[in-house]
């Protein structure tokens, strides 16, 4: 049975049958609200909100088919359309670089030269989008189902963003399956793109998703979401929203109840076992015959063979040896036995031990000195290779070691990014707030952080967050200790 047959239109669909059987007022599987925050969906939404407003990186939203990527983008547009300007690039319309250039040219309305090539048009669009920040509304490009777009077009959009001022230019948001990382040619060391991954739902999260919708539709939670039915819903949906909506009605109507249970084993058909039994019988007979032949061969080899009588002979040397020498006499050895080895003198043993100890000590000292010199040279080279940082706004800059040594160990992190201009833009936007910034390291790249305040406890810092401007609060400030900077 396929997934499509669960929601077939036979007899008006499955919902009238659900309504008749369980008395539902509405279809719980078609309710788009409320937004489901569990399964790291709320965390992903807050990350997109913050990075679209203040970030300097392109965004990558990945997940399996039906994991809720489009629903998450819709919630982002609904909640942030007042402060961000969104433009959607449909995957079906991105057939070529010329089509992409025409779409972006209509958005910019910059009156570009019609003779410009598509690459220059895309680059001009991102440079034009920098001016929107001055007007108080940053642009966001939404490319849903980006894994269906040509990799060359995706790279063209990403290159145009990287060539502009990343802290002000329109932020591209690529949404698609996990293979999108390979299509963009990204590596683990890439710092120009931030990836947000949506994992499949667990059984508990499936219950949390369906429970308020079943309750709102007037159904009985303990009946529709019993442990047995919930287990079948999770197994057949595999944690996917789209599959969950297809298979759940069939499970509630017991259409697929038998499909998830193991089938009973039928009786043994002895007719089908005749050929295997015959082959097994022939194999056993051949094995017995070979073993008998082997045993007979081994028995013949083990029969004792009479050994010939040994004749003892003697050999004499010299002309004076009498001819009637007794054969029983054993001949004398031709050479004398070697004398026993003389003991080694104490002086020789002492000299040998001294030479061995000296050579061992010299080799150990040389290896230790070489390892120490190498480690020292590496540490010195690392310390020398890092140049001193010169801040552009020295009045608002504080060295990170000075922050770590503060007596009041709590602060509020507002913004973080790879560009110093990101930090300077936020500070310039709110000159009345006593914000400072510092620089650390992340993935071997500089990491600029904008901080506000110095507090003696976490509760004091959290109270200070509530007094910040609304735009900064929407960016989800981070209350953290200065020792962890």
């Amino acid at each position: 049975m396929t997934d499509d047959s669960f929601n077939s239109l036979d007899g008006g669909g499955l919902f009238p049958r659900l309504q008749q059987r369980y008395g539902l007022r509405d279809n719980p599987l078609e309710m788009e609200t409320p937004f489901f925050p569990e399964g790291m969906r709320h965390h992903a939404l807050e990350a997109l909100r913050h990075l679209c407003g203040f970030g300097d990186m392109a965004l990558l939203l990945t997940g399996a088919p039906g994991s809720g990527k489009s629903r998450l983008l819709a919630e982002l547009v609904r909640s942030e359309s007042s402060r961000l300007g969104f433009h959607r690039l449909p995957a079906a319309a991105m057939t070529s670089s010329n089509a992409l250039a025409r779409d972006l040219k209509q958005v910019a309305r910059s009156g570009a030269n019609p003779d410009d090539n598509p690459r220059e048009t895309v680059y001009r669009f991102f440079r034009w989008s920098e001016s929107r920040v001055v007007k108080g509304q940053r642009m966001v490009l939404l490319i849903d189902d980006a894994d269906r777009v040509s990799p060359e077009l995706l790279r063209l959009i990403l290159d145009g963003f990287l060539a502009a001022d990343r802290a002000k230019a329109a932020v591209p948001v690529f949404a698609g399956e996990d293979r999108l990382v390979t299509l963009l040619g990204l590596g683990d060391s890439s710092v120009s793109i931030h990836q947000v991954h949506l994992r499949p739902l667990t059984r508990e999260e499936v219950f949390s998703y369906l429970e308020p919708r079943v309750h709102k539709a007037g159904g009985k939670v303990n009946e529709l979401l019993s442990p047995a039915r919930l287990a079948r819903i999770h197994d057949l949906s595999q944690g996917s929203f789209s599959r969950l909506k297809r298979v759940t009605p069939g499970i509630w109507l017991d259409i697929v109840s038998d499909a998830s249970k193991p089938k009973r084993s039928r009786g043994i058909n002895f007719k089908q076992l005749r050929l295997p039994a015959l082959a097994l019988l022939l194999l056993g007979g051949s094995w017995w015959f070979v073993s008998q032949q082997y045993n007979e061969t081994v028995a013949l080899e083990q029969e004792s063979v009479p050994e010939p009588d040994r004749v003892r002979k003697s050999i004499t040397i010299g002309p004076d040896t009498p001819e009637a020498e007794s054969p029983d006499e054993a001949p004398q050895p031709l050479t004398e036995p070697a004398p026993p080895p003389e003991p080694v003198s104490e002086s020789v043993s002492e000299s040998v031990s001294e030479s061995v100890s000296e050579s061992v000590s010299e080799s150990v000292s040389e290896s230790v000195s070489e390892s120490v010199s190498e480690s020292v040279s590496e540490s010195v080279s690392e310390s020398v290779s890092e140049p001193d940082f010169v801040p552009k706004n020295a009045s608002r800059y504080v060295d990170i070691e000075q922050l770590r040594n503060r007596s009041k160990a709590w602060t509020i992190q507002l913004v973080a990014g790879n560009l110093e201009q990101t930090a300077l833009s936020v500070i310039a936007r709110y000159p009345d707030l006593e914000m400072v910034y510092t620089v650390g390291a992340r993935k071997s790249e500089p990491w600029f952080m904008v901080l506000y305040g110095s507090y003696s406890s976490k509760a004091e810092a959290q109270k200070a967050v509530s007094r910040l401007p609304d735009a900064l609060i929407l960016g989800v400030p981070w209350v953290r200790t200065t020792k962890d900077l």
Side-chain angles (χ1 to χ4, degrees), residues 467-485:
R467 296 192 294 269
L468 293 173
D470 295 338
L472 293 178
I473 295 177
L474 290 175
V476 189
W478 183 8
V479 176
R480 60 183 303 186
T481 60
T482 57
K483 295 180 180 180
D484 297 335
L485 291 176

Side-chain angles (χ1 to χ4, degrees), residues 167-186:
K168 299 180 181 179
V171 180
V173 180
F174 303 97
E177 298 181 17
D178 296 337
R179 62 190 183 95
L180 189 57
V181 177
T182 305
L183 293 178
L184 287 171
L186 303 177

Side-chain angles (χ1 to χ4, degrees), residues 35 41 44-45 48 61 68-76:
F35 175 74
R41 267 56 180 180
L45 178 61
L48 292 178
L61 180 62
K69 299 182 292 296
S70 300
R71 178 68 180 89
L72 190 65
L73 293 180
E75 184 66 19
L76 175 66

Side-chain angles (χ1 to χ4, degrees), residues 279-469:
L280 184 61
L281 181 61
L282 292 175
L283 182 62
S286 61
W287 176 83
W288 177 83
F289 178 75
V290 172
S291 63
Q292 290 297 112
Q293 294 292 327
Y294 175 78
N295 292 335
E296 292 178 0
T297 304
V298 172
L300 291 175
E301 291 179 354
Q302 290 180 351
E303 289 183 357
S304 61
V305 179
E307 297 181 358
D309 296 336
R310 295 182 180 181
V311 178
R312 196 169 194 182
K313 296 181 180 182
S314 62
I315 300 174
T316 59
I317 299 175
D320 297 334
T321 304
E323 294 180 357
E325 187 177 2
S326 173
D328 295 334
E329 275 184 346
Q332 296 294 327
L334 300 180
T335 59
E336 295 181 358
E342 296 180 0
V344 181
S345 63
E346 295 180 357
S347 60
V348 175
S349 62
E350 290 178 357
S351 62
V352 171
S353 61
E354 289 177 359
S355 61
V356 171
S357 62
E358 288 177 359
S359 61
V360 171
S361 61
E362 288 177 359
S363 61
V364 171
S365 61
E366 288 177 359
S367 61
V368 171
S369 61
E370 288 178 358
S371 61
V372 171
S373 62
E374 288 178 358
S375 62
V376 171
S377 62
E378 289 178 357
S379 62
V380 171
S381 61
E382 290 179 356
S383 62
V384 172
S385 61
E386 296 180 356
D388 294 336
F389 171 71
V390 179
K392 296 181 180 179
N393 189 349
S395 60
R396 292 296 185 98
Y397 176 80
V398 180
D399 185 72
I400 192 169
E401 293 298 333
Q402 182 179 351
L403 292 173
R404 290 170 178 169
N405 296 327
R406 280 184 174 178
S407 58
K408 295 183 178 181
W410 291 91
T411 187
I412 304 173
Q413 178 177 314
L414 301 176
V415 177
N418 295 107
L419 298 179
E420 183 181 7
Q421 185 59 39
T422 302
L424 298 178
S425 300
V426 176
I427 293 176
R429 193 175 302 173
Y430 302 96
D432 297 335
L433 296 179
E434 296 181 359
M435 293 185 290
V436 297
Y437 77 104
T438 186
V439 61
R442 179 186 180 189
K443 295 182 179 180
S444 301
E445 294 288 338
W447 189 251
F448 295 91
M449 296 166 283
V450 178
L451 308 173
Y452 176 74
S454 179
Y455 307 95
S456 57
S457 64
K458 184 177 182 181
E460 184 181 353
Q462 289 175 343
K463 290 182 180 179
V465 170
S466 61
R467 296 192 294 269
L468 293 173

Side-chain angles (χ1 to χ4, degrees), residues 73-95:
L73 293 180
E75 184 66 19
L76 175 66
V77 173
R78 186 196 66 80
S79 61
E80 298 297 318
S81 57
S82 60
R83 70 184 187 96
L84 297 174
F86 293 94
H87 179 68
R88 187 181 298 271
L89 293 175
M94 297 176 63
T95 56

